[in-house]
Short mmCIF file of all heavy atoms in Angstrom, two decimals:
data_model
loop_
_atom_site.label_atom_id
_atom_site.label_comp_id
_atom_site.label_asym_id
_atom_site.label_seq_id
_atom_site.Cartn_x
_atom_site.Cartn_y
_atom_site.Cartn_z
N MET A 1 -20.53 12.20 3.86
CA MET A 1 -19.88 12.19 5.17
C MET A 1 -20.75 12.87 6.23
O MET A 1 -20.85 12.41 7.37
CB MET A 1 -18.53 12.91 5.07
CG MET A 1 -17.64 12.65 6.26
SD MET A 1 -16.13 13.59 6.16
CE MET A 1 -14.97 12.31 5.73
N THR A 2 -21.43 13.93 5.80
CA THR A 2 -22.27 14.66 6.74
C THR A 2 -23.32 13.76 7.38
O THR A 2 -23.55 13.80 8.58
CB THR A 2 -22.99 15.80 5.98
OG1 THR A 2 -22.00 16.65 5.43
CG2 THR A 2 -23.87 16.58 6.92
N GLN A 4 -23.22 10.58 7.79
CA GLN A 4 -22.60 9.64 8.74
C GLN A 4 -22.24 10.32 10.05
O GLN A 4 -22.36 9.74 11.12
CB GLN A 4 -21.34 9.01 8.12
CG GLN A 4 -21.62 7.93 7.10
CD GLN A 4 -22.10 8.51 5.78
OE1 GLN A 4 -21.83 9.67 5.45
NE2 GLN A 4 -22.83 7.71 5.03
N ARG A 6 -23.87 12.77 11.33
CA ARG A 6 -25.13 12.90 12.08
C ARG A 6 -25.53 11.57 12.71
O ARG A 6 -26.03 11.53 13.83
CB ARG A 6 -26.24 13.40 11.14
CG ARG A 6 -26.03 14.85 10.72
CD ARG A 6 -27.20 15.35 9.88
NE ARG A 6 -26.86 16.61 9.25
CZ ARG A 6 -26.95 17.80 9.87
NH1 ARG A 6 -27.36 17.83 11.11
NH2 ARG A 6 -26.60 18.89 9.24
N ALA A 9 -23.40 11.11 15.65
CA ALA A 9 -23.84 12.00 16.72
C ALA A 9 -25.09 11.44 17.39
O ALA A 9 -25.23 11.46 18.62
CB ALA A 9 -24.12 13.40 16.17
N CYS A 12 -24.14 8.85 19.80
CA CYS A 12 -23.66 9.39 21.07
C CYS A 12 -24.82 9.91 21.92
O CYS A 12 -24.82 9.78 23.16
CB CYS A 12 -22.66 10.52 20.83
SG CYS A 12 -21.12 9.91 20.13
N ASN A 22 -30.37 5.05 33.02
CA ASN A 22 -29.78 4.15 34.03
C ASN A 22 -29.62 4.87 35.36
O ASN A 22 -29.85 4.28 36.43
CB ASN A 22 -28.43 3.64 33.52
CG ASN A 22 -27.85 2.60 34.44
OD1 ASN A 22 -28.51 1.61 34.74
ND2 ASN A 22 -26.65 2.83 34.92
N ALA A 23 -29.24 6.15 35.29
CA ALA A 23 -29.10 6.93 36.53
C ALA A 23 -30.45 7.01 37.24
O ALA A 23 -30.53 6.84 38.46
CB ALA A 23 -28.57 8.32 36.22
N ILE A 26 -31.19 3.66 38.98
CA ILE A 26 -30.47 3.41 40.23
C ILE A 26 -30.93 4.39 41.31
O ILE A 26 -31.17 4.01 42.45
CB ILE A 26 -28.95 3.59 40.02
CG1 ILE A 26 -28.47 2.69 38.90
CG2 ILE A 26 -28.19 3.33 41.32
CD1 ILE A 26 -28.16 1.31 39.26
N GLN A 27 -31.04 5.66 40.94
CA GLN A 27 -31.21 6.70 41.97
C GLN A 27 -32.66 6.91 42.39
O GLN A 27 -32.91 7.43 43.46
CB GLN A 27 -30.62 8.02 41.48
CG GLN A 27 -29.13 7.87 41.16
CD GLN A 27 -28.42 9.20 41.17
OE1 GLN A 27 -28.31 9.84 40.14
NE2 GLN A 27 -27.94 9.63 42.32
N SER A 31 -33.66 2.93 44.31
CA SER A 31 -32.96 3.62 45.40
C SER A 31 -33.25 3.00 46.76
O SER A 31 -32.34 2.68 47.53
CB SER A 31 -33.37 5.10 45.38
OG SER A 31 -32.91 5.74 46.52
N TYR A 34 -31.55 -0.39 47.51
CA TYR A 34 -30.12 -0.29 47.86
C TYR A 34 -29.95 0.35 49.23
O TYR A 34 -29.09 -0.05 50.00
CB TYR A 34 -29.38 0.53 46.80
CG TYR A 34 -29.17 -0.21 45.50
CD1 TYR A 34 -29.67 0.28 44.30
CD2 TYR A 34 -28.47 -1.41 45.47
CE1 TYR A 34 -29.48 -0.39 43.11
CE2 TYR A 34 -28.27 -2.09 44.29
CZ TYR A 34 -28.77 -1.58 43.11
OH TYR A 34 -28.58 -2.25 41.94
N ASN A 40 -25.28 -2.04 53.39
CA ASN A 40 -25.07 -0.61 53.17
C ASN A 40 -25.02 0.09 54.52
O ASN A 40 -26.00 0.13 55.25
CB ASN A 40 -26.23 -0.06 52.34
CG ASN A 40 -25.96 1.34 51.82
OD1 ASN A 40 -25.06 2.01 52.29
ND2 ASN A 40 -26.75 1.77 50.86
N ARG A 42 -24.83 3.14 55.33
CA ARG A 42 -25.26 4.54 55.42
C ARG A 42 -26.31 4.78 56.50
O ARG A 42 -26.25 5.78 57.20
CB ARG A 42 -25.81 5.00 54.07
CG ARG A 42 -24.70 5.36 53.12
CD ARG A 42 -25.19 5.72 51.75
NE ARG A 42 -24.06 6.06 50.91
CZ ARG A 42 -23.21 5.18 50.43
NH1 ARG A 42 -23.37 3.91 50.71
NH2 ARG A 42 -22.20 5.56 49.69
N ILE A 45 -24.53 4.80 59.78
CA ILE A 45 -23.72 6.01 59.92
C ILE A 45 -24.60 7.19 60.25
O ILE A 45 -24.30 8.00 61.13
CB ILE A 45 -22.91 6.24 58.62
CG1 ILE A 45 -21.84 5.15 58.47
CG2 ILE A 45 -22.27 7.62 58.64
CD1 ILE A 45 -21.14 5.16 57.14
N GLN A 71 -16.35 5.85 62.78
CA GLN A 71 -17.30 5.95 61.67
C GLN A 71 -18.73 6.01 62.20
O GLN A 71 -19.53 6.83 61.78
CB GLN A 71 -17.13 4.75 60.73
CG GLN A 71 -17.96 4.89 59.46
CD GLN A 71 -17.83 3.67 58.58
OE1 GLN A 71 -17.92 2.54 59.04
NE2 GLN A 71 -17.61 3.88 57.31
N LEU A 124 -36.40 17.24 52.04
CA LEU A 124 -35.74 18.04 51.01
C LEU A 124 -34.30 18.38 51.42
O LEU A 124 -33.36 18.20 50.65
CB LEU A 124 -36.54 19.32 50.80
CG LEU A 124 -36.43 19.97 49.43
CD1 LEU A 124 -36.99 19.06 48.37
CD2 LEU A 124 -37.20 21.29 49.43
N ARG A 126 -32.62 17.10 54.00
CA ARG A 126 -31.95 15.93 54.58
C ARG A 126 -31.19 16.29 55.86
O ARG A 126 -30.25 15.62 56.23
CB ARG A 126 -30.98 15.29 53.59
CG ARG A 126 -31.67 14.71 52.38
CD ARG A 126 -30.85 13.56 51.88
NE ARG A 126 -31.25 13.14 50.56
CZ ARG A 126 -30.75 12.09 49.95
NH1 ARG A 126 -29.82 11.38 50.53
NH2 ARG A 126 -31.17 11.74 48.77
N GLU A 127 -31.57 17.41 56.49
CA GLU A 127 -30.96 17.74 57.77
C GLU A 127 -31.50 16.76 58.81
O GLU A 127 -32.72 16.63 58.95
CB GLU A 127 -31.34 19.16 58.18
CG GLU A 127 -30.46 20.25 57.60
CD GLU A 127 -28.99 20.08 57.89
OE1 GLU A 127 -28.64 19.67 59.02
OE2 GLU A 127 -28.17 20.33 56.99
N ASP B 13 -19.76 14.50 -2.14
CA ASP B 13 -18.98 14.84 -0.96
C ASP B 13 -17.50 14.93 -1.31
O ASP B 13 -16.81 15.88 -0.96
CB ASP B 13 -19.15 13.73 0.09
CG ASP B 13 -19.78 14.29 1.34
OD1 ASP B 13 -20.35 15.39 1.27
OD2 ASP B 13 -19.70 13.62 2.39
N ASP B 22 -25.00 21.96 5.82
CA ASP B 22 -23.72 22.47 6.31
C ASP B 22 -23.62 23.96 6.08
O ASP B 22 -23.12 24.70 6.92
CB ASP B 22 -22.56 21.79 5.57
CG ASP B 22 -22.41 20.36 6.04
OD1 ASP B 22 -23.32 19.91 6.75
OD2 ASP B 22 -21.40 19.75 5.70
N GLY B 271 -18.68 5.90 4.77
CA GLY B 271 -20.12 5.93 4.58
C GLY B 271 -20.72 4.56 4.39
O GLY B 271 -21.85 4.43 3.96
N ALA B 326 -23.92 4.22 46.76
CA ALA B 326 -23.69 5.66 46.78
C ALA B 326 -24.67 6.37 45.85
O ALA B 326 -25.32 7.35 46.24
CB ALA B 326 -22.25 5.97 46.38
N PHE B 327 -24.81 5.86 44.63
CA PHE B 327 -25.74 6.49 43.69
C PHE B 327 -27.16 6.46 44.26
O PHE B 327 -27.89 7.44 44.21
CB PHE B 327 -25.71 5.78 42.34
CG PHE B 327 -24.55 6.17 41.48
CD1 PHE B 327 -23.47 5.31 41.31
CD2 PHE B 327 -24.52 7.39 40.85
CE1 PHE B 327 -22.39 5.67 40.52
CE2 PHE B 327 -23.45 7.77 40.06
CZ PHE B 327 -22.39 6.91 39.90
N ALA B 328 -27.54 5.30 44.80
CA ALA B 328 -28.90 5.16 45.33
C ALA B 328 -29.13 6.13 46.49
O ALA B 328 -30.21 6.70 46.62
CB ALA B 328 -29.14 3.72 45.79
N ALA B 329 -28.09 6.32 47.32
CA ALA B 329 -28.25 7.21 48.47
C ALA B 329 -28.49 8.64 48.01
O ALA B 329 -29.09 9.43 48.74
CB ALA B 329 -27.01 7.15 49.36
N GLY B 330 -28.02 8.96 46.80
CA GLY B 330 -28.20 10.32 46.31
C GLY B 330 -29.64 10.66 46.03
O GLY B 330 -30.10 11.76 46.28
N GLY B 331 -30.38 9.68 45.48
CA GLY B 331 -31.78 9.95 45.16
C GLY B 331 -31.93 11.09 44.17
O GLY B 331 -31.06 11.30 43.32
N THR B 335 -27.36 14.27 48.77
CA THR B 335 -27.21 14.57 50.19
C THR B 335 -26.66 15.97 50.40
O THR B 335 -26.69 16.49 51.51
CB THR B 335 -26.22 13.59 50.83
OG1 THR B 335 -24.96 13.74 50.17
CG2 THR B 335 -26.67 12.16 50.69
N LYS B 339 -21.67 15.70 52.44
CA LYS B 339 -22.52 14.99 53.40
C LYS B 339 -22.80 13.54 53.00
O LYS B 339 -23.60 12.87 53.64
CB LYS B 339 -23.84 15.73 53.56
CG LYS B 339 -23.62 17.10 54.16
CD LYS B 339 -24.92 17.70 54.62
CE LYS B 339 -24.64 18.96 55.42
NZ LYS B 339 -25.87 19.66 55.78
N LEU B 344 -16.88 5.12 51.31
CA LEU B 344 -17.02 3.69 51.60
C LEU B 344 -16.57 2.84 50.42
O LEU B 344 -16.25 1.67 50.58
CB LEU B 344 -18.48 3.35 51.92
CG LEU B 344 -19.02 3.86 53.26
CD1 LEU B 344 -20.52 3.64 53.33
CD2 LEU B 344 -18.33 3.13 54.41
N GLY B 359 -22.89 11.50 42.14
CA GLY B 359 -24.24 10.94 42.18
C GLY B 359 -24.85 11.00 43.56
O GLY B 359 -26.03 11.28 43.73
N GLU B 360 -24.03 10.72 44.60
CA GLU B 360 -24.57 10.69 45.96
C GLU B 360 -24.83 12.10 46.48
O GLU B 360 -25.85 12.35 47.11
CB GLU B 360 -23.61 9.96 46.91
CG GLU B 360 -24.09 9.99 48.36
CD GLU B 360 -23.40 9.00 49.26
OE1 GLU B 360 -22.44 8.34 48.81
OE2 GLU B 360 -23.84 8.87 50.41
N LEU B 364 -29.63 12.81 41.37
CA LEU B 364 -29.91 12.59 39.95
C LEU B 364 -29.86 13.92 39.21
O LEU B 364 -29.40 13.98 38.07
CB LEU B 364 -31.30 11.94 39.79
CG LEU B 364 -31.76 11.67 38.37
CD1 LEU B 364 -30.82 10.71 37.67
CD2 LEU B 364 -33.17 11.13 38.35
N LEU B 367 -26.18 14.81 38.72
CA LEU B 367 -25.55 13.84 37.83
C LEU B 367 -26.00 14.08 36.40
O LEU B 367 -25.18 14.05 35.46
CB LEU B 367 -25.91 12.43 38.28
CG LEU B 367 -25.13 11.30 37.65
CD1 LEU B 367 -23.65 11.41 38.00
CD2 LEU B 367 -25.68 9.97 38.11
N TYR B 382 -19.12 17.45 17.47
CA TYR B 382 -19.76 16.99 16.23
C TYR B 382 -20.15 18.16 15.35
O TYR B 382 -20.03 18.11 14.13
CB TYR B 382 -20.99 16.13 16.57
CG TYR B 382 -20.63 14.68 16.80
CD1 TYR B 382 -20.44 14.16 18.06
CD2 TYR B 382 -20.48 13.82 15.70
CE1 TYR B 382 -20.10 12.84 18.26
CE2 TYR B 382 -20.14 12.50 15.88
CZ TYR B 382 -19.95 12.01 17.17
OH TYR B 382 -19.62 10.70 17.33
N ARG B 394 -12.77 17.17 9.69
CA ARG B 394 -14.06 16.58 10.07
C ARG B 394 -13.83 15.30 10.87
O ARG B 394 -14.43 15.11 11.92
CB ARG B 394 -14.88 16.25 8.83
CG ARG B 394 -15.17 17.42 7.95
CD ARG B 394 -16.14 17.05 6.87
NE ARG B 394 -17.35 17.83 7.05
CZ ARG B 394 -18.50 17.57 6.49
NH1 ARG B 394 -18.65 16.51 5.73
NH2 ARG B 394 -19.54 18.33 6.71
N MET B 416 -22.04 2.48 37.25
CA MET B 416 -23.46 2.46 37.57
C MET B 416 -24.12 1.14 37.19
O MET B 416 -25.35 1.04 37.19
CB MET B 416 -24.19 3.61 36.88
CG MET B 416 -23.65 4.96 37.29
SD MET B 416 -24.59 6.31 36.60
CE MET B 416 -26.06 6.23 37.59
#
Side-chain angles (χ1 to χ4, degrees):
Chain A
M1 194 184 254
T2 300
Q4 283 75 24
R6 290 184 193 278
C12 291
N22 187 54
I26 304 276
Q27 301 201 268
S31 171
Y34 286 121
N40 192 345
R42 280 175 180 73
I45 291 171
Q71 187 183 46
L124 206 64
R126 295 209 193 185
E127 275 304 321
Chain B
D13 242 17
D22 287 10
F327 281 106
T335 60
K339 296 193 171 175
L344 289 171
E360 176 164 7
L364 179 62
L367 192 63
Y382 274 97
R394 301 188 117 196
M416 300 185 74

